[in-house]
Amino acid sequence: MAQPTFLSRRCFLVREDVGHPAFDWRLDAAVDCGRLAREVLRLDAVDREEMWALLLSTKNRVIGLAQVSVGTLDASLVHPREVFKTAILANAASVILVHNHPSGDPAPSPEDRQITERCAAAGKILGIPLLDHVIVGRDRIESLRREIERQAASR
């Protein structure tokens, strides 16, 4: 049985589908990301914003999780370099960003939209597309996938 490879306390990767509950997941929709965020990362139970990069294989299976940022009650600093650093090391085919809003309201902020746009542009350059940015609230999730697709079509 393969064990996860720990790059730091906030990032781990695996080459086989065993060793961590997240590596049994295949992500096909935003609702899958929301469930993983709640059940594995416990993002609905933290009191600060946390952003995670879900690193995916070509078949949308989770091959790595990377905590990109821990912020404050209502903000989190994120730069594309932190998002894609571990994606490159993991040989990820694509990335999904997921973060929580401790207020319980998953409506995207202007900053959420801005980091989504910047990461989508960086991912395009690197050949590691950003598939979605999912925001977890108390009772629902919000997906920015349509905005990512709209930006890609306009370029």
PDB file of all heavy atoms in Angstrom, residues 38 49 73 99-109 112 135-142:
ATOM      1  N   ARG A  38     -16.195  19.572   2.644  1.00  0.00           N
ATOM      2  CA  ARG A  38     -16.863  19.406   3.933  1.00  0.00           C
ATOM      3  C   ARG A  38     -16.420  18.134   4.647  1.00  0.00           C
ATOM      4  O   ARG A  38     -16.145  18.149   5.842  1.00  0.00           O
ATOM      5  CB  ARG A  38     -18.375  19.385   3.726  1.00  0.00           C
ATOM      6  CG  ARG A  38     -18.959  20.738   3.455  1.00  0.00           C
ATOM      7  CD  ARG A  38     -20.484  20.676   3.506  1.00  0.00           C
ATOM      8  NE  ARG A  38     -21.023  22.009   3.439  1.00  0.00           N
ATOM      9  CZ  ARG A  38     -21.589  22.526   2.354  1.00  0.00           C
ATOM     10  NH1 ARG A  38     -21.683  21.807   1.254  1.00  0.00           N
ATOM     11  NH2 ARG A  38     -22.052  23.756   2.369  1.00  0.00           N
ATOM     12  N   GLU A  49     -10.854  31.855   6.700  1.00  0.00           N
ATOM     13  CA  GLU A  49     -10.837  31.411   5.309  1.00  0.00           C
ATOM     14  C   GLU A  49      -9.612  30.534   5.075  1.00  0.00           C
ATOM     15  O   GLU A  49      -8.508  30.882   5.474  1.00  0.00           O
ATOM     16  CB  GLU A  49     -10.798  32.602   4.340  1.00  0.00           C
ATOM     17  CG  GLU A  49     -12.138  33.242   4.156  1.00  0.00           C
ATOM     18  CD  GLU A  49     -12.232  34.071   2.873  1.00  0.00           C
ATOM     19  OE1 GLU A  49     -11.398  33.927   1.966  1.00  0.00           O
ATOM     20  OE2 GLU A  49     -13.182  34.871   2.808  1.00  0.00           O
ATOM     21  N   LEU A  73     -10.877  36.082   9.173  1.00  0.00           N
ATOM     22  CA  LEU A  73     -12.308  35.809   9.183  1.00  0.00           C
ATOM     23  C   LEU A  73     -12.954  36.084   7.834  1.00  0.00           C
ATOM     24  O   LEU A  73     -13.865  35.385   7.418  1.00  0.00           O
ATOM     25  CB  LEU A  73     -12.984  36.664  10.270  1.00  0.00           C
ATOM     26  CG  LEU A  73     -14.478  36.503  10.447  1.00  0.00           C
ATOM     27  CD1 LEU A  73     -14.790  35.096  10.925  1.00  0.00           C
ATOM     28  CD2 LEU A  73     -14.994  37.531  11.435  1.00  0.00           C
ATOM     29  N   HIS A  99     -12.419  27.011  -1.387  1.00  0.00           N
ATOM     30  CA  HIS A  99     -12.207  27.717  -0.127  1.00  0.00           C
ATOM     31  C   HIS A  99     -13.548  27.974   0.552  1.00  0.00           C
ATOM     32  O   HIS A  99     -14.606  27.809  -0.048  1.00  0.00           O
ATOM     33  CB  HIS A  99     -11.389  29.006  -0.317  1.00  0.00           C
ATOM     34  CG  HIS A  99     -12.145  30.211  -0.735  1.00  0.00           C
ATOM     35  ND1 HIS A  99     -12.490  30.481  -2.042  1.00  0.00           N
ATOM     36  CD2 HIS A  99     -12.618  31.251  -0.011  1.00  0.00           C
ATOM     37  CE1 HIS A  99     -13.128  31.632  -2.110  1.00  0.00           C
ATOM     38  NE2 HIS A  99     -13.227  32.120  -0.883  1.00  0.00           N
ATOM     39  N   ASN A 100     -13.473  28.331   1.804  1.00  0.00           N
ATOM     40  CA  ASN A 100     -14.679  28.545   2.593  1.00  0.00           C
ATOM     41  C   ASN A 100     -14.906  30.032   2.854  1.00  0.00           C
ATOM     42  O   ASN A 100     -13.994  30.847   2.750  1.00  0.00           O
ATOM     43  CB  ASN A 100     -14.554  27.817   3.939  1.00  0.00           C
ATOM     44  CG  ASN A 100     -13.457  28.391   4.799  1.00  0.00           C
ATOM     45  OD1 ASN A 100     -12.357  28.663   4.320  1.00  0.00           O
ATOM     46  ND2 ASN A 100     -13.731  28.571   6.079  1.00  0.00           N
ATOM     47  N   HIS A 101     -16.141  30.344   3.174  1.00  0.00           N
ATOM     48  CA  HIS A 101     -16.505  31.654   3.707  1.00  0.00           C
ATOM     49  C   HIS A 101     -17.068  31.403   5.103  1.00  0.00           C
ATOM     50  O   HIS A 101     -18.175  30.874   5.239  1.00  0.00           O
ATOM     51  CB  HIS A 101     -17.554  32.337   2.833  1.00  0.00           C
ATOM     52  CG  HIS A 101     -16.998  33.008   1.623  1.00  0.00           C
ATOM     53  ND1 HIS A 101     -17.789  33.644   0.698  1.00  0.00           N
ATOM     54  CD2 HIS A 101     -15.724  33.150   1.170  1.00  0.00           C
ATOM     55  CE1 HIS A 101     -17.040  34.144  -0.268  1.00  0.00           C
ATOM     56  NE2 HIS A 101     -15.775  33.853  -0.002  1.00  0.00           N
ATOM     57  N   PRO A 102     -16.306  31.716   6.152  1.00  0.00           N
ATOM     58  CA  PRO A 102     -16.770  31.456   7.519  1.00  0.00           C
ATOM     59  C   PRO A 102     -18.100  32.134   7.855  1.00  0.00           C
ATOM     60  O   PRO A 102     -18.807  31.678   8.749  1.00  0.00           O
ATOM     61  CB  PRO A 102     -15.646  32.011   8.394  1.00  0.00           C
ATOM     62  CG  PRO A 102     -14.440  31.960   7.533  1.00  0.00           C
ATOM     63  CD  PRO A 102     -14.941  32.238   6.144  1.00  0.00           C
ATOM     64  N   SER A 103     -18.461  33.172   7.120  1.00  0.00           N
ATOM     65  CA  SER A 103     -19.746  33.835   7.357  1.00  0.00           C
ATOM     66  C   SER A 103     -20.919  32.915   7.035  1.00  0.00           C
ATOM     67  O   SER A 103     -22.038  33.153   7.472  1.00  0.00           O
ATOM     68  CB  SER A 103     -19.859  35.096   6.500  1.00  0.00           C
ATOM     69  OG  SER A 103     -19.970  34.739   5.121  1.00  0.00           O
ATOM     70  N   GLY A 104     -20.649  31.871   6.235  1.00  0.00           N
ATOM     71  CA  GLY A 104     -21.709  30.958   5.822  1.00  0.00           C
ATOM     72  C   GLY A 104     -22.304  31.282   4.475  1.00  0.00           C
ATOM     73  O   GLY A 104     -23.008  30.480   3.876  1.00  0.00           O
ATOM     74  N   ASP A 105     -22.044  32.480   3.951  1.00  0.00           N
ATOM     75  CA  ASP A 105     -22.570  32.916   2.653  1.00  0.00           C
ATOM     76  C   ASP A 105     -21.514  32.678   1.577  1.00  0.00           C
ATOM     77  O   ASP A 105     -20.480  33.342   1.570  1.00  0.00           O
ATOM     78  CB  ASP A 105     -22.927  34.397   2.714  1.00  0.00           C
ATOM     79  CG  ASP A 105     -23.461  34.937   1.405  1.00  0.00           C
ATOM     80  OD1 ASP A 105     -23.704  34.141   0.463  1.00  0.00           O
ATOM     81  OD2 ASP A 105     -23.645  36.166   1.315  1.00  0.00           O
ATOM     82  N   PRO A 106     -21.766  31.757   0.641  1.00  0.00           N
ATOM     83  CA  PRO A 106     -20.753  31.445  -0.363  1.00  0.00           C
ATOM     84  C   PRO A 106     -20.729  32.375  -1.580  1.00  0.00           C
ATOM     85  O   PRO A 106     -20.021  32.101  -2.544  1.00  0.00           O
ATOM     86  CB  PRO A 106     -21.126  30.021  -0.784  1.00  0.00           C
ATOM     87  CG  PRO A 106     -22.602  29.995  -0.656  1.00  0.00           C
ATOM     88  CD  PRO A 106     -22.912  30.856   0.546  1.00  0.00           C
ATOM     89  N   ALA A 107     -21.451  33.476  -1.519  1.00  0.00           N
ATOM     90  CA  ALA A 107     -21.443  34.406  -2.654  1.00  0.00           C
ATOM     91  C   ALA A 107     -20.019  34.895  -2.904  1.00  0.00           C
ATOM     92  O   ALA A 107     -19.325  35.313  -1.970  1.00  0.00           O
ATOM     93  CB  ALA A 107     -22.360  35.586  -2.370  1.00  0.00           C
ATOM     94  N   PRO A 108     -19.549  34.837  -4.169  1.00  0.00           N
ATOM     95  CA  PRO A 108     -18.169  35.244  -4.459  1.00  0.00           C
ATOM     96  C   PRO A 108     -17.957  36.747  -4.268  1.00  0.00           C
ATOM     97  O   PRO A 108     -18.780  37.560  -4.665  1.00  0.00           O
ATOM     98  CB  PRO A 108     -17.956  34.855  -5.918  1.00  0.00           C
ATOM     99  CG  PRO A 108     -19.230  34.296  -6.413  1.00  0.00           C
ATOM    100  CD  PRO A 108     -20.243  34.338  -5.336  1.00  0.00           C
ATOM    101  N   SER A 109     -16.835  37.083  -3.670  1.00  0.00           N
ATOM    102  CA  SER A 109     -16.447  38.478  -3.498  1.00  0.00           C
ATOM    103  C   SER A 109     -15.697  38.932  -4.748  1.00  0.00           C
ATOM    104  O   SER A 109     -15.270  38.107  -5.560  1.00  0.00           O
ATOM    105  CB  SER A 109     -15.534  38.620  -2.279  1.00  0.00           C
ATOM    106  OG  SER A 109     -14.293  37.976  -2.531  1.00  0.00           O
ATOM    107  N   ASP A 112     -12.501  37.109  -4.806  1.00  0.00           N
ATOM    108  CA  ASP A 112     -12.637  35.720  -5.268  1.00  0.00           C
ATOM    109  C   ASP A 112     -12.625  35.671  -6.798  1.00  0.00           C
ATOM    110  O   ASP A 112     -11.961  34.818  -7.390  1.00  0.00           O
ATOM    111  CB  ASP A 112     -13.939  35.093  -4.763  1.00  0.00           C
ATOM    112  CG  ASP A 112     -13.976  34.908  -3.262  1.00  0.00           C
ATOM    113  OD1 ASP A 112     -12.895  34.809  -2.641  1.00  0.00           O
ATOM    114  OD2 ASP A 112     -15.093  34.846  -2.708  1.00  0.00           O
ATOM    115  N   ILE A 135     -16.682  27.753  -3.726  1.00  0.00           N
ATOM    116  CA  ILE A 135     -16.731  28.422  -2.431  1.00  0.00           C
ATOM    117  C   ILE A 135     -17.751  27.681  -1.564  1.00  0.00           C
ATOM    118  O   ILE A 135     -18.885  27.458  -1.980  1.00  0.00           O
ATOM    119  CB  ILE A 135     -17.115  29.906  -2.574  1.00  0.00           C
ATOM    120  CG1 ILE A 135     -16.131  30.599  -3.510  1.00  0.00           C
ATOM    121  CG2 ILE A 135     -17.150  30.580  -1.204  1.00  0.00           C
ATOM    122  CD1 ILE A 135     -16.552  31.986  -3.936  1.00  0.00           C
ATOM    123  N   VAL A 136     -17.318  27.299  -0.372  1.00  0.00           N
ATOM    124  CA  VAL A 136     -18.147  26.529   0.537  1.00  0.00           C
ATOM    125  C   VAL A 136     -18.745  27.464   1.580  1.00  0.00           C
ATOM    126  O   VAL A 136     -18.013  28.194   2.257  1.00  0.00           O
ATOM    127  CB  VAL A 136     -17.310  25.437   1.245  1.00  0.00           C
ATOM    128  CG1 VAL A 136     -18.149  24.667   2.252  1.00  0.00           C
ATOM    129  CG2 VAL A 136     -16.690  24.512   0.217  1.00  0.00           C
ATOM    130  N   GLY A 137     -20.059  27.430   1.686  1.00  0.00           N
ATOM    131  CA  GLY A 137     -20.766  28.179   2.722  1.00  0.00           C
ATOM    132  C   GLY A 137     -21.364  27.226   3.737  1.00  0.00           C
ATOM    133  O   GLY A 137     -21.066  26.034   3.738  1.00  0.00           O
ATOM    134  N   ARG A 138     -22.232  27.738   4.563  1.00  0.00           N
ATOM    135  CA  ARG A 138     -22.824  26.903   5.613  1.00  0.00           C
ATOM    136  C   ARG A 138     -23.716  25.815   5.021  1.00  0.00           C
ATOM    137  O   ARG A 138     -23.576  24.650   5.349  1.00  0.00           O
ATOM    138  CB  ARG A 138     -23.627  27.770   6.580  1.00  0.00           C
ATOM    139  CG  ARG A 138     -24.170  27.010   7.779  1.00  0.00           C
ATOM    140  CD  ARG A 138     -24.842  27.907   8.801  1.00  0.00           C
ATOM    141  NE  ARG A 138     -23.926  28.921   9.298  1.00  0.00           N
ATOM    142  CZ  ARG A 138     -24.054  30.231   9.052  1.00  0.00           C
ATOM    143  NH1 ARG A 138     -25.047  30.688   8.329  1.00  0.00           N
ATOM    144  NH2 ARG A 138     -23.171  31.083   9.532  1.00  0.00           N
ATOM    145  N   ASP A 139     -24.641  26.208   4.145  1.00  0.00           N
ATOM    146  CA  ASP A 139     -25.626  25.251   3.629  1.00  0.00           C
ATOM    147  C   ASP A 139     -25.552  25.028   2.131  1.00  0.00           C
ATOM    148  O   ASP A 139     -26.316  24.242   1.597  1.00  0.00           O
ATOM    149  CB  ASP A 139     -27.043  25.732   3.978  1.00  0.00           C
ATOM    150  CG  ASP A 139     -27.265  25.830   5.468  1.00  0.00           C
ATOM    151  OD1 ASP A 139     -26.755  24.952   6.185  1.00  0.00           O
ATOM    152  OD2 ASP A 139     -27.927  26.783   5.913  1.00  0.00           O
ATOM    153  N   ARG A 140     -24.673  25.738   1.453  1.00  0.00           N
ATOM    154  CA  ARG A 140     -24.587  25.578   0.003  1.00  0.00           C
ATOM    155  C   ARG A 140     -23.194  25.937  -0.480  1.00  0.00           C
ATOM    156  O   ARG A 140     -22.368  26.426   0.283  1.00  0.00           O
ATOM    157  CB  ARG A 140     -25.661  26.399  -0.713  1.00  0.00           C
ATOM    158  CG  ARG A 140     -25.558  27.876  -0.519  1.00  0.00           C
ATOM    159  CD  ARG A 140     -26.775  28.611  -1.117  1.00  0.00           C
ATOM    160  NE  ARG A 140     -26.666  30.033  -0.894  1.00  0.00           N
ATOM    161  CZ  ARG A 140     -26.095  30.880  -1.731  1.00  0.00           C
ATOM    162  NH1 ARG A 140     -25.603  30.445  -2.875  1.00  0.00           N
ATOM    163  NH2 ARG A 140     -26.020  32.159  -1.471  1.00  0.00           N
ATOM    164  N   ILE A 141     -22.972  25.667  -1.765  1.00  0.00           N
ATOM    165  CA  ILE A 141     -21.696  26.007  -2.396  1.00  0.00           C
ATOM    166  C   ILE A 141     -21.958  26.898  -3.596  1.00  0.00           C
ATOM    167  O   ILE A 141     -23.069  26.955  -4.112  1.00  0.00           O
ATOM    168  CB  ILE A 141     -20.917  24.745  -2.834  1.00  0.00           C
ATOM    169  CG1 ILE A 141     -21.703  23.978  -3.893  1.00  0.00           C
ATOM    170  CG2 ILE A 141     -20.567  23.878  -1.661  1.00  0.00           C
ATOM    171  CD1 ILE A 141     -20.904  22.923  -4.601  1.00  0.00           C
ATOM    172  N   GLU A 142     -20.919  27.567  -4.026  1.00  0.00           N
ATOM    173  CA  GLU A 142     -20.987  28.418  -5.215  1.00  0.00           C
ATOM    174  C   GLU A 142     -19.821  28.040  -6.118  1.00  0.00           C
ATOM    175  O   GLU A 142     -18.691  27.914  -5.665  1.00  0.00           O
ATOM    176  CB  GLU A 142     -20.888  29.887  -4.797  1.00  0.00           C
ATOM    177  CG  GLU A 142     -21.108  30.870  -5.890  1.00  0.00           C
ATOM    178  CD  GLU A 142     -22.572  31.028  -6.283  1.00  0.00           C
ATOM    179  OE1 GLU A 142     -23.456  30.865  -5.422  1.00  0.00           O
ATOM    180  OE2 GLU A 142     -22.812  31.318  -7.466  1.00  0.00           O
TER     181      GLU A 142
END
